[in-house]
Amino acid sequence: MTAPIKLVVLISGNGSNLQAIIDEIECGRLNAHIACVISNRADAAGLQRAAKANIKTKVVDHQLFESREDFDQALMQSIDQEKPELVVLAGFMRILSDPFVEHYLGRMINIHPSLLPNYQGLNTHQRVLDAGESEHGATVHYVIPELDSGPVILQARVPVLADDDALTLADRVHQVEHKIFPESIRRIAAGEVTFSHGVVYYNQQPISYAQQQFNMLP
């Protein structure tokens, strides 16, 4: 077996996607090592999840910096101390500056609660309901400077039910997030998914729409 891929995970809140990654590592289904979990909020519950799993944690509080660029520089220094192969944005609620993103281009992934490119930004569950959509979902993508616009690695779809509200729909989306985020990392760690010049490759070929759909892949 190859050496586990080294991760730094960034969080801002509850850390349920972090927990899904931890669980997959602990049960042996994901060949990865989380070197550090970093939060921009000291009260993020995900820090307790990391500590319980004996993972090193750091807090880089964005409120202590005069500008986004100053915060990003401090965050970059904290990340680079760990020498990660992949930076994982798991509910990290900060818009990152272009220089920060460019520094990790091809080495940073994010999960977004919609079927990108639809419903970029915030409040996706309510917006999907307001638009009368019949399906919703989640997307794992590489991070590029344009917000929520990076090339897709994996998506999963869920139905929108007649009696859904934003909370019930969010819960259904979270369930698939917890599957596709670890699976995306697994595929990167195994070399199945790669990124070059703005293009995602699956088994050395440009990834197809079908290969981006979680239920359509083995």
Side-chain angles (χ1 to χ4, degrees):
M1 180 177 289
T2 59
I5 189 171
K6 190 174 184 181
L7 312 176
V8 166
V9 181
L10 306 187
I11 64 169
S12 294
N14 182 50
S16 65
N17 273 303
L18 166 65
Q19 189 65 58
I21 295 167
I22 291 171
D23 291 347
E24 290 295 290
I25 292 172
E26 290 184 344
C27 73
R29 286 193 293 262
L30 176 57
N31 187 27
H33 166 67
I34 302 176
C36 189
V37 171
I38 303 176
S39 176
N40 65 306
R41 295 176 57 95
D43 61 352
L47 293 171
Q48 298 175 16
R49 296 179 186 269
K52 186 176 180 180
N54 296 313
I55 298 169
K56 181 167 69 171
T57 63
K58 296 180 184 178
V59 174
V60 184
D61 188 343
H62 64 278
Q63 298 178 88
L64 302 180
F65 297 88
E66 293 185 357
S67 69
R68 179 190 301 175
E69 290 73 20
D70 288 346
F71 167 73
D72 283 2
Q73 188 63 40
L75 180 60
M76 189 185 303
Q77 291 175 359
S78 291
I79 294 170
D80 288 349
Q81 287 173 359
E82 308 300 332
K83 297 180 171 59
E85 297 167 83
L86 189 68
V87 178
V88 178
L89 306 184
F92 187 67
M93 303 303 292
R94 295 287 299 171
I95 295 176
L96 297 164
S97 64
D98 288 1
F100 183 98
V101 173
E102 293 287 353
H103 182 70
Y104 298 107
L105 193 64
R107 298 186 293 134
M108 184 162 60
I109 64 173
N110 179 53
I111 191 159
H112 182 76
S114 81
L115 297 171
L116 292 175
N118 298 327
Y119 300 100
Q120 299 167 331
L122 301 175
N123 304 317
T124 61
H125 312 304
Q126 188 60 53
R127 288 161 60 200
V128 164
L129 290 170
D130 292 345
E133 301 282 7
S134 62
E135 65 176 8
H136 189 25
T139 303
V140 181
H141 65 95
Y142 280 99
V143 179
I144 64 173
E146 293 76 23
L147 183 66
D148 298 333
S149 298
V152 173
I153 300 168
L154 205 53
Q155 288 186 326
R157 297 168 184 271
V158 301
V160 179
L161 305 181
D163 60 349
D164 268 331
D165 59 24
L167 291 176
T168 59
L169 185 55
D171 183 66
R172 195 173 306 115
V173 171
H174 287 155
Q175 291 177 40
V176 297
E177 286 182 2
H178 299 163
K179 295 178 181 178
I180 65 172
F181 215 10
E183 176 61 16
S184 296
I185 297 169
R186 187 199 68 77
R187 293 178 185 187
I188 293 170
E192 297 171 9
V193 166
T194 54
F195 176 94
S196 179
H197 302 289
V199 177
V200 176
Y201 292 83
Y202 184 75
N203 288 334
Q204 301 181 340
Q205 297 295 323
I207 195 167
S208 68
Y209 175 81
Q211 290 167 335
Q212 293 169 343
Q213 306 309 304
F214 177 66
N215 291 333
M216 300 178 69
L217 283 170

